[in-house]
Amino acid sequence: MPIRCAIYTRQSIESNADLSSCQVQFDLCSAFIQSRRSLGYELIEERFADEGYSGATLDRPALHRLLSVIRSGGIERLIIYRLDRLSRNLRHFTTLFEELKDHAVELDVLNAPETGAVPLDRFMLNVLASFSEFERDLAATRIAESRAHLKAHGRRIAGATPFAIFSVFRGDHEDSQEEPSWRSFARC
């Protein structure tokens, strides 16, 4: 009897590159399924890739489609590359994991193959989910601190200079007695 498998991939930033993180994750998961064909693993046709969506929220179109397939009994196994691709929030991960369990869907995490269905493995998945959330919060804190530092030193924090405008920062040197200031000029 075939074991129908779905692959879920996610990356936070939408990519214009020929080879995205979602594609790499999909290829690795596909190879995993291919290596388990003798056990009956079969990849379903529908792809579930959320490119440009944060793992901090469950409001992702491909995830919604995947949950519909799970609820309708369309798969027996969900394959993901890393746990943080599914969720970077412990509460959301727990909700998703319960949903999988309620519909008899097994979870395979490629970079944590030792996790299974016994209580200790479930505990490990929760620890990994906690680390994913911690890692996300740590990155957000570092970004906020960097922005505050740039702002305190009169540096631009808003990204690229708008089209047709260029800025000249004066007083950039440590030994300068001049007060830092910005001047903007329109390009003609």
Side-chain angles (χ1 to χ4, degrees), residues 8 25 28-29 79-83 85 108-112:
Y8 178 76
Q25 293 170 52
L28 291 168
C29 291
I79 316 297
I80 57 176
Y81 176 66
R82 284 184 14 191
L83 195 62
R85 300 300 86 199
D108 284 318
V109 183
L110 263 57
N111 78 337

Side-chain angles (χ1 to χ4, degrees), residues 141-186:
T141 300
R142 281 195 306 261
I143 290 168
E145 288 170 350
S146 293
R147 287 182 174 165
H149 178 77
L150 289 171
K151 186 176 180 181
H153 289 88
R155 299 267 171 94
R156 183 174 177 79
I157 60 171
T161 305
F163 179 73
I165 301 291
F166 69 94
S167 297
V168 176
F169 182 73
R170 297 184 329 153
D172 192 23
H173 297 78
E174 296 277 335
D175 58 351
S176 174
Q177 300 301 316
E178 239 181 284
E179 187 67 29
S181 65
W182 284 96
R183 293 186 313 173
S184 295
F185 301 92

Side-chain angles (χ1 to χ4, degrees), residues 4-170:
R4 294 166 299 167
C5 302
I7 296 172
Y8 178 76
T9 62
R10 182 192 63 77
Q11 71 182 51
S12 298
I13 299 170
E14 202 163 350
S15 175
N16 293 331
D18 290 340
L19 186 63
S20 71
S21 174
C22 282
Q23 184 61 50
V24 171
Q25 293 170 52
F26 182 82
D27 291 347
L28 291 168
C29 291
S30 293
F32 173 79
I33 292 170
Q34 189 65 29
S35 74
R36 301 286 195 278
R37 283 192 70 76
S38 64
L39 300 174
Y41 283 35
E42 286 184 7
L43 178 61
I44 66 171
E45 286 187 34
E46 190 171 358
R47 284 187 69 166
F48 305 95
D50 279 319
E51 192 171 328
Y53 288 89
S54 170
T57 178
L58 292 178
D59 190 20
R60 297 175 255 155
L63 182 61
H64 289 297
R65 287 188 296 107
L66 174 63
L67 290 172
S68 292
V69 169
I70 290 169
R71 290 173 186 140
S72 69
I75 63 169
E76 285 80 39
R77 292 192 95 80
L78 174 61
I79 316 297
I80 57 176
Y81 176 66
R82 284 184 14 191
L83 195 62
D84 67 351
R85 300 300 86 199
L86 187 59
S87 179
R88 283 189 170 263
N89 179 297
L90 180 59
R91 185 171 39 97
H92 293 160
F93 168 74
T94 304
T95 300
L96 291 170
F97 193 73
E98 287 300 317
E99 183 96 23
L100 294 174
K101 193 170 99 176
D102 290 347
H103 293 89
V105 174
E106 296 289 327
L107 177 65
D108 284 318
V109 183
L110 263 57
N111 78 337
E114 63 282 350
T115 54
V118 297
L120 182 61
D121 294 341
R122 184 171 179 179
F123 169 74
M124 285 305 299
L125 285 172
N126 280 304
V127 169
L128 290 171
S130 294
F131 274 112
S132 293
E133 184 172 346
F134 170 71
E135 183 180 51
R136 185 202 71 213
D137 292 344
L138 195 61
T141 300
R142 281 195 306 261
I143 290 168
E145 288 170 350
S146 293
R147 287 182 174 165
H149 178 77
L150 289 171
K151 186 176 180 181
H153 289 88
R155 299 267 171 94
R156 183 174 177 79
I157 60 171
T161 305
F163 179 73
I165 301 291
F166 69 94
S167 297
V168 176
F169 182 73
R170 297 184 329 153

